């Protein structure tokens, strides 16, 4: 009598176990779903899969909706378990929200007499991230006209079909997480997985990113600030007044927005010797600075141009050799 009771109680449990559901996880492999225990994933490219043993129902069909009740997959077909035991649906990403898979089981083979339903749920929380640079980045190498392509750290999201990356000089965050200002596009390099940004104008840029799947996007990433500065270098130097012992020096800084002052020092000879400061020249709005100084001896000097840095130009030093050939006569 006791054995008969145990046998009768175990039969429904075996039947329940004959139905399974799963979705594509973040690693690209199916992950089992459990009724009443929502699964958290980030994947935006999901397949929902079900399995029904022939002994559990005569037929079955599946449906997937988002948390708003909108269909997120094509309508399920009726499958007789005598011929088909598995089905799958590609699930459309409708944004970060809950999705529900409902498996309907029928006693007959034509899906007319409902036996029971099994529901599974999962939550998608997709996101992307940009890595904040540790400090200012150079727009180009010193004494070069070639703009440096910045490679910024990026964390993508599983299943994203594409990414949208926006940045703006002096950008301001918008209420929806985007940025306002003169917006430009960056992109993710498919080989390195890093964001490529090509910009030659010094300044502070704000950048955000998001992932896309179909017609829907993830939220915008937290913004990062990218400070681009030019190296300190000189386009040219000349001596408009080259007859000493009082000389006038004229120089042009490579980045005309440098501002500040250039400190000029001189050391006698082609090497060695102590530098003596000749003066500090103000850089005007065109990147030009002028300095008048005195040298009593002819010969080779090393001139050192030093810059403490500004909002648009890095701290730096440039050294050049000059030969003083003439002094004032009479």
């Amino acid at each position: 009598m006791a054995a008969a009771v145990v046998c009768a109680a175990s039969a429904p449990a075996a039947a329940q176990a004959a139905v399974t559901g799963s979705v594509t996880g973040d690693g690209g492999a199916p992950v089992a779903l459990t009724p009443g225990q929502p699964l958290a994933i980030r994947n935006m490219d999901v397949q929902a899969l079900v399995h029904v043993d022939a002994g559990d129902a005569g037929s079955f069909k599946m449906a997937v909706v988002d948390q708003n009740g909108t269909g997120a997959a094509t309508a399920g077909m009726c499958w007789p378990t005598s011929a088909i035991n598995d089905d799958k649906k590609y699930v459309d990403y409708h944004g970060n929200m809950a999705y529900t898979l409902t498996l309907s089981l029928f006693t007959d083979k034509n899906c007319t007499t409902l036996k029971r339903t099994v529901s599974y749920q999962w939550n998608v929380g997709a996101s992307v991230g940009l890595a904040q640079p540790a400090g200012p980045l150079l727009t180009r190498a010193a004494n070069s006209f070639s703009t440096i392509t910045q490679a910024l750290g990026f964390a993508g999201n599983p299943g994203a079909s594409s990414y949208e990356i926006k940045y703006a000089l002096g950008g301001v965050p918008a209420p929806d997480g985007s940025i306002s200002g003169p917006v430009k596009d960056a992109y993710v390099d498919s080989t390195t997985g890093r964001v490529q940004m090509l910009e030659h104008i010094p300044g502070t840029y704000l950048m955000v990113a998001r992932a896309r799947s179909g017609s829907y996007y993830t939220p915008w990433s937290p913004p990062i600030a990218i400070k681009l500065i030019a190296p300190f270098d000189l386009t040219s130097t000349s001596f408009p007044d080259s007859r000493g012992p009082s000389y006038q020096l004229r120089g042009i800084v490579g980045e005309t927005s440098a501002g500040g002052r250039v400190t000029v020092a001189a050391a006698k000879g082609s090497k060695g010797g102590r530098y003596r400061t000749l003066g500090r020249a103000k850089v005007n709005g065109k990147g030009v600075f002028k300095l008048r100084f005195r040298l009593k001896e002819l010969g080779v000097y090393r001139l050192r141009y030093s810059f403490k840095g500004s909002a648009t130009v890095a701290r730096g030093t440039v050294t050049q050799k000059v030969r003083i050939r003439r002094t004032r006569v009479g």
Side-chain angles (χ1 to χ4, degrees):
M1 184 66 177
V5 171
V6 171
C7 202
S10 63
Q16 296 288 338
V19 176
T20 60
S22 63
V23 292
T24 314
D26 297 342
V31 178
L33 296 169
T34 302
Q37 299 180 23
L39 176 70
I41 62 174
R42 297 177 60 221
N43 196 359
M44 303 168 71
D45 184 20
V46 168
Q47 275 191 27
L49 303 95
V50 295
H51 170 82
V52 180
D53 283 349
D56 194 60
S59 58
F60 70 95
K61 62 181 177 181
M62 63 185 293
V64 181
V65 297
D66 63 24
Q67 69 182 31
N68 299 316
T70 303
T74 57
M77 294 182 62
C78 178
W79 298 109
T81 57
S82 59
I84 300 293
N85 300 107
D86 300 282
D87 196 11
K88 65 181 178 181
K89 293 291 181 185
Y90 288 93
V91 181
D92 297 328
Y93 175 73
H94 288 180
N96 288 350
M97 61 175 66
Y99 296 80
T100 300
L101 161 62
T102 300
L103 176 60
S104 299
L105 306 171
F106 301 85
T107 58
D108 64 299
K109 65 178 182 180
N110 298 314
C111 296
T112 56
T113 304
L114 181 65
K115 179 180 181 182
R116 65 187 176 97
T117 60
V118 181
S119 292
Y120 304 95
Q121 192 175 70
W122 68 94
N123 297 300
V124 179
S127 65
V128 299
L130 294 162
Q132 175 66 52
L137 305 173
L138 289 179
T139 57
R140 57 182 176 80
N143 305 307
S144 171
F145 295 106
S146 298
T147 302
I148 294 174
T149 299
Q150 310 298 339
L152 307 172
F154 179 71
N157 193 86
S161 59
S162 62
Y163 295 102
E164 185 175 26
I165 302 170
K166 301 289 186 180
Y167 68 93
L169 177 61
V172 178
D176 66 350
S178 63
I179 52 176
S180 60
V183 178
K184 296 183 179 181
D185 294 304
Y187 69 95
V188 177
D189 186 289
S190 59
T191 301
T192 65
R194 298 174 71 84
V195 171
Q196 305 293 297
M197 175 188 182
L198 185 64
E199 194 61 58
H200 69 281
I201 301 175
T204 299
Y205 295 79
L206 205 66
M207 178 180 285
V208 293
R210 62 180 180 175
R212 177 184 177 183
S213 179
S215 302
Y216 292 84
Y217 295 85
T218 65
W220 289 103
S221 66
I224 62 170
I226 306 165
K227 184 176 182 180
L228 298 184
I229 58 175
F232 174 66
D233 53 11
L234 302 176
T235 300
S236 66
T237 57
S238 60
F239 287 86
D241 183 357
S242 60
R243 183 182 289 264
S246 176
Y247 304 92
Q248 186 185 54
L249 169 69
R250 182 180 186 272
I252 303 177
V253 178
E255 173 53 50
T256 58
S257 67
R261 293 180 179 272
V262 175
T263 300
V264 183
K268 188 71 166 63
S270 58
K271 59 182 179 179
R274 182 178 179 181
Y275 279 97
R276 177 174 65 88
T277 299
L278 302 178
R280 298 177 69 240
K282 183 177 180 180
V283 182
N284 67 20
K286 296 182 179 180
V288 177
F289 64 91
K290 296 179 181 179
L291 180 70
R292 182 167 289 279
F293 60 91
R294 297 178 66 85
L295 289 175
K296 296 182 179 180
E297 299 181 29
L298 300 179
V300 174
Y301 285 83
R302 299 189 318 283
L303 294 184
R304 184 181 66 193
Y305 307 88
S306 303
F307 189 71
K308 291 185 177 181
S310 68
T312 58
V313 175
R315 183 186 187 96
T317 301
V318 175
T319 303
Q320 69 173 168
K321 292 180 182 179
V322 298
R323 181 178 293 276
I324 302 299
R325 301 178 183 274
R326 296 189 297 175
T327 60
R328 193 182 302 277
V329 179

